[in-house]
Amino acid sequence: MDCDVVIVGGGPAGLAFARSLEDSGLGIVLLERAPLEALATPRFDGREIALTHGSKRILEQLGAWDRLPADEIAPMHAAKVVNGDSPFSLNFTAGEGEAQLGYLVPNHRIRAALYDAARNQPGLRLITGAEVVHARSGATGSRAEVLLSSGEVVRARLLVVADSRLSTTREALGIGADINPLGRSMMVVRVRHELPHGATALEWFDHRQTLALLPLNGNLAGAVLTLPEDAARRVAAFDDAALGRDLTRRFRQRLGRMEVVSDRNVYPLVTTWAHQFVSGRAALIGDAAVGMHPVTAHGFNLGLSGQALLAAEVCDAVRRSMDPELPAALRRFENGHRAACKPLYTGTNLLVRLFTDERLPARAMRHAMLRLGAGLPFVRPTVRAMLTH
Ligand SMILES: Cc1cc2nc3c(=O)[nH]c(=O)nc-3n(C[C@H](O)[C@H](O)[C@H](O)COP(=O)(O)OP(=O)(O)OC[C@H]3O[C@@H](n4cnc5c(N)ncnc54)[C@H](O)[C@@H]3O)c2cc1C
């Protein structure tokens, strides 16, 4: 099979990239390992994605935002960071002229909206149940190619890799990556609580556990509990009543009694950073390029901005003459996306290291950091701008 662009992975990054090429005139093939139902009607996976204003704009342009169920879009007005038992908190509110910091939308709704927007796109062929088992980026040849488990080969002028943080396509291309398993897991579950959350997200670096509450519409929240892997699995195995009691206790009744209202999901935490985002005729987007720790809620936001940058460069190359222009276009994408991701990736990893270190100096240091953050006039606007745009 021959095409202009082959995309490996129909997750939110791959689908968003396919949508971004709508007006490019290119023939696109998107290969997704999962069956069609997983794309058309993805199941709830517990991820409540905090979207920035910039991400909302991109999703609007891709025709996905209007496909989200309105009652599943929850405005986030403020965020609060708390350290251990300290009564002090570092607070963030919306910037001038903005009604909210950002939005919370369930991941499965974003995926369904992107699929719905993409499914009848002219020039795009979505092939599900198609697992890529090998790839070549065609550094010297005129085509990149991928091999499917069925034995079929797809050749393309551009290969876009969007098959997640433990990307096997990235590996097949010989692109190395820093892969850091953190030995901790994140358990996520929806809860109903007694007291209103005031549309305020909470990030609480408590002793030996990290807790987060993501405010949804009504008295509902996404509860996020980060623990060592075996402890997270143990807690996730509680029945609903026991888990509700456990979460009420862990959150120290901040929002009163909690009741579990969804399935729970457990995500082992691993961060990744690809050594190159581009090789020959291949480019990496989404988690395949950068797998962020979820604590700063930026993985998908960066994935969206990265795919938008790549699409803009590819469309520009197509307007001039795709093949000769492609190497320079990919280089510009790589430089731009690495520069955008590096500070957030490094900063998030440092933050996680500091805020999960139980030794006394680290605890004192994070307390001082939060105080300093609240006291220095430029810190909160800078962090807010980084987190929301
Ligand atoms: C608990 C949690 C909370 C999060 N919260 C936030 C948040 O608040 N804000 C935010 O911005 N981000 C958040 N993220 C990150 C966000 O979910 C990811 O960045 C995003 O889902 C990555 O999308 P992706 O398309 O790159 O990868 P994925 O969603 O992993 O999709 C990859 C796709 O590739 C397919 N695939 C894999 N291998 C192959 C193959 N060999 N052949 C064909 N297909 C293949 C898979 O089936 C899958 O459909 C969170 C993550 C977690 C775990």
Side-chain angles (χ1 to χ4, degrees):
M1 201 192 301
D2 266 30
C3 59
D4 293 313
V5 181
V6 61
I7 304 169
V8 181
L15 283 170
F17 182 67
R19 286 293 300 139
S20 293
L21 291 187
E22 184 183 21
D23 297 325
S24 65
L26 296 168
I28 307 158
V29 171
L30 185 149
L31 303 167
E32 167 57 48
R33 175 171 64 187
L36 178 61
E37 312 84 79
L39 255 65
T41 50
R43 64 169 197 87
F44 174 76
D45 60 17
R47 300 187 202 190
E48 311 288 355
I49 303 289
L51 293 170
T52 62
H53 297 289
S55 292
K56 175 179 182 251
R57 273 193 296 278
I58 295 176
L59 289 171
E60 281 168 346
Q61 284 155 13
L62 303 184
W65 186 262
D66 288 342
R67 288 178 158 85
L68 294 169
D71 60 349
E72 293 259 33
I73 302 173
M76 186 169 59
H77 290 299
K80 186 184 262 201
V81 183
V82 182
N83 176 37
D85 296 323
S86 168
F88 174 78
S89 63
L90 182 58
N91 300 307
F92 298 94
T93 48
E96 216 170 291
E98 284 166 353
Q100 55 259 318
L101 267 179
Y103 307 84
L104 283 156
V105 182
N107 191 44
H108 71 297
R109 297 293 187 202
I110 297 173
R111 295 182 56 200
L114 282 166
Y115 171 76
D116 195 45
R119 70 196 165 98
N120 291 323
Q121 183 174 313
L124 169 62
R125 201 168 151 203
L126 285 165
I127 309 181
T128 50
E131 183 179 19
V132 170
V133 291
H134 198 61
R136 284 205 310 210
S137 65
T140 50
S142 60
R143 291 284 184 272
E145 44 183 48
V146 298
L147 172 67
L148 302 182
S149 57
S150 61
E152 208 171 345
V153 173
V154 182
R155 290 189 188 84
R157 294 200 277 169
L158 171 65
L159 160 61
V160 174
V161 180
D163 59 352
S164 202
R165 57 188 68 200
L166 301 179
S167 166
T168 51
T169 311
R170 179 182 67 207
E171 208 180 310
L173 292 172
I175 300 177
D178 296 336
I179 300 178
N180 313 300
L182 302 181
R184 293 162 77 86
S185 288
M186 210 171 233
M187 191 211 62
V188 286
V189 67
R190 269 191 187 188
V191 292
R192 180 173 291 115
H193 42 81
E194 277 178 321
L195 307 174
H197 49 50
T200 300
L202 169 73
E203 188 70 47
W204 183 2
F205 296 97
D206 199 10
H207 304 310
R208 296 186 179 78
Q209 62 177 0
T210 305
L211 299 157
L213 272 178
L214 306 171
L216 308 176
N217 290 322
N219 272 14
L220 288 179
V224 184
L225 173 62
T226 306
L227 291 171
E229 272 167 11
D230 49 346
R233 296 245 167 241
R234 253 196 327 274
V235 173
F238 289 170
D239 65 33
D240 283 358
L243 183 56
R245 281 195 300 276
D246 189 65
L247 290 171
T248 305
R249 179 185 61 78
R250 286 180 193 271
F251 282 98
R252 296 190 212 159
Q253 305 250 5
R254 275 173 179 258
L255 296 181
R257 205 166 54 80
M258 287 178 164
E259 181 195 344
V260 167
V261 295
S262 78
D263 292 343
R264 56 298 304 263
N265 285 270
V266 178
Y267 294 94
L269 292 176
V270 49
T271 61
T272 56
W273 176 264
H275 296 162
Q276 297 157 250
F277 291 180
V278 161
S279 166
R281 290 177 170 272
L284 271 48
I285 59 169
D287 282 13
V290 185
M292 293 280 294
H293 191 295
V295 71
T296 44
H298 255 63
F300 181 52
N301 288 302
L302 285 175
L304 261 184
S305 59
Q307 68 74 31
L309 178 60
L310 178 62
E313 290 295 350
V314 170
C315 288
D316 193 43
V318 170
R319 271 192 294 276
R320 288 185 278 155
S321 171
M322 181 158 166
D323 276 341
E325 295 293 333
L326 192 61
L330 294 184
R331 255 196 321 276
R332 282 193 298 273
F333 154 70
E334 173 161 53
N335 292 340
H337 195 39
R338 285 180 96 80
C341 294
K342 192 74 190 183
L344 271 168
Y345 181 77
T346 312
T348 300
N349 292 348
L350 283 173
L351 188 89
V352 169
R353 218 169 299 150
L354 177 67
F355 277 80
T356 52
D357 188 336
E358 289 303 328
R359 287 169 299 180
L360 209 57
R363 276 158 60 181
M365 168 110 114
R366 55 198 187 229
H367 185 69
M369 253 182 72
L370 290 185
R371 287 279 181 176
L372 207 64
L376 293 175
F378 61 87
V379 173
R380 276 187 297 166
T382 309
V383 174
R384 181 175 52 222
M386 267 171 74
L387 293 182
T388 58
H389 296 283

